[in-house]
Amino acid sequence: MAEVTENDPSSMVAEKTLELKNELQRLVKALIEDEDHTVEDETFRVLSSLKCLKFKKSLSFKLDDSLIVPNEFKCPISKELMTDPVVLATGLTYDRPFIERWLIEGHNTCPQTRQVLPHTVLTPNHLVQEMISQWCTEHGIELPRTSQDVDDKVIRAVDEGYLNSLLEKLSSSLSDQKEAAKDIRLLSKRTPSIREYFGRSTEAIPKLLNPLTPGDASVHPDLQEDLITTLLNLSIYEDNKKIVGENPLAITLLVESLISGTTQTKSNAAAALFTLSNLDSNKLIIGNSGALKSLIDLLEEDGLQVIKDAASAIFSLCICHENKRMAIKDGAVSMIVKKMKENILVGELLAILALLSAHQLAIDEMNKINVMPLLLGIIRESTCEKSKENAIAIVHTLVCNDRKKLREIKVEEANNASISKLSRTGTARARRKAMAVLERLDKGVFITHTA
């Protein structure tokens, strides 16, 4: 293929565009229908060239020759006004179609600095995009929309063909598996059509998980981390929640990854279970998998992020009444109280405790470990209104269950009047609960005079 220059006449540009489209159709047919994966690189090069050509053609009709474009708005590669600025790993900004072509051609360095890239993830530069948009508005210029420049169906077909070749590599050698897993992880993060494809294909998820064996998933921690992270990326897409949640192997490997693997793997496995549990039908599936015990144990991890992810998953799962009982049986109450006393994620863990307090087993557990002083301390000292609200809600539940708990309330009121203050200054729900506790206190004063 002859290279297109910026000064091609319109007729030559149109002719070249048609040539590229025909070539792309031939390559996509070979890739998808004939499963000829040897043409992948050439397919991406042609697609990228077509995108760049169309960008240049579109801009040539919209920019006045006398208009001077600020250098900071120009792509360092094309020297044209950027329409979709993205940041490379080196921190420099390029126009997406041109830096994508650079990467597809096999370069692993920054075009300007020549620095070797640690990764090829492209991050949208929203600030520069906004500045360009403002400049264009001031000068009466309408930028072409990226999504209109190349047929989405063609792009999707190429993406899916590339993904299928990577999924096949997951059944190959260990080195091929690791390389493919990293690429799929990146694709699933930044390419919506890839996430959608997993929801449409019945074979994609089994192929993805093929390298991991239940009971031995962490034998290659880096491979496990990439594949579990891909499951997380897929689970965020709403239409994938059901297909992932109802895949026994996926859930088994996620639960196992809560126990064994890198800290990042554990965190991402917990995050995946959280997002999957947003679908109500998945809550009981995950609860019955034994995930709750492992999630509760994760609260003992050192990393704050993994604790947050575990807490989020526990809360979401325990919205289901059946899971509340399982969580309490697995030691959720004592673990949560322990971490709260260590001043770790008090607000998040208190929310779980309030949720569990709707179950009698949780009330019994809280009475055994005497959680009342901790709750009163939160009401008295916390600056978080939501935490105070959850604390007084639990206190109300405890005093309704056992009026002897009012003795501790009476002492707190005499010394600090914390609940009286909350009844005046708390959230609407906190005020209602505080008033209900005070009413019980007024009615139960006689308790102090009994044996």
Side-chain angles (χ1 to χ4, degrees), residues 85-263:
V86 292
V87 181
L88 197 59
T90 53
L92 298 179
T93 298
Y94 296 88
D95 207 359
R96 184 184 294 277
F98 297 96
I99 190 61
E100 282 183 344
R101 182 172 67 172
W102 170 268
L103 297 172
I104 288 168
E105 288 173 348
H107 300 287
N108 66 344
T109 58
C110 175
Q112 286 183 279
T113 66
R114 301 298 172 181
Q115 180 181 344
V116 176
L117 300 173
H119 62 78
T120 58
V121 175
L122 302 176
T123 305
N125 192 327
H126 297 297
L127 176 60
V128 172
Q129 181 73 72
E130 179 62 27
M131 293 170 65
I132 291 174
S133 296
Q134 291 179 3
W135 183 84
C136 288
T137 300
E138 293 170 1
H139 292 84
I141 299 168
E142 182 183 353
L143 281 176
R145 294 184 62 182
T146 305
S147 60
Q148 297 174 342
D149 288 333
V150 182
D151 189 341
D152 285 344
K153 291 182 180 178
V154 174
I155 296 175
R156 190 178 298 114
V158 174
D159 285 343
E160 291 175 6
Y162 180 47
L163 173 63
N164 278 322
S165 70
L166 292 175
L167 290 173
E168 292 301 324
K169 288 177 69 175
L170 290 176
S171 296
S172 187
S173 65
L174 178 60
S175 60
D176 281 348
Q177 289 179 350
K178 290 186 176 184
E179 181 182 350
K182 287 190 181 299
D183 289 343
I184 295 173
R185 174 179 178 174
L186 284 174
L187 280 173
S188 66
K189 177 181 179 181
R190 65 188 185 187
T191 312
S193 63
I194 293 297
R195 296 192 290 272
E196 294 170 10
Y197 177 75
F198 276 91
R200 298 195 309 271
S201 171
T202 57
E203 298 180 354
I205 291 178
K207 286 183 177 180
L208 174 72
L209 301 177
N210 180 66
L212 300 182
T213 304
D216 204 20
S218 61
V219 64
H220 300 293
D222 51 343
L223 178 61
Q224 178 195 22
E225 181 179 318
D226 286 331
L227 296 179
I228 292 300
T229 303
T230 298
L231 274 184
L232 167 60
N233 294 338
L234 298 179
S235 301
I236 292 171
Y237 183 61
E238 196 65 31
D239 290 349
N240 286 342
K241 295 187 191 301
K242 183 177 178 64
I243 192 171
V244 175
E246 294 181 357
N247 185 300
L249 180 58
I251 298 300
T252 296
L253 290 172
L254 284 172
V255 174
E256 182 178 339
S257 296
L258 297 172
I259 304 168
S260 61
T262 66
T263 299

Side-chain angles (χ1 to χ4, degrees), residues 381-399:
E381 300 170 3
S382 177
T383 58
C384 176
E385 293 302 322
K386 189 63 179 178
S387 291
K388 290 181 179 181
E389 178 185 313
N390 282 325
I392 191 63
I394 300 172
V395 168
H396 179 257
T397 299
L398 293 176
V399 298

Side-chain angles (χ1 to χ4, degrees), residues 416-431:
N416 303 294
S418 302
I419 296 177
S420 294
K421 181 180 179 182
L422 187 62
S423 70
R424 298 188 301 271
T425 63
T427 65
R429 180 169 177 255
R431 293 197 302 272

Side-chain angles (χ1 to χ4, degrees), residues 21-38:
K21 283 184 175 180
N22 291 337
E23 178 68 5
L24 186 58
Q25 287 178 354
R26 183 188 67 79
L27 291 168
V28 169
K29 182 178 183 298
L31 183 63
I32 304 303
E33 297 182 10
D34 302 333
E35 297 187 354
D36 181 6
H37 300 296
T38 62

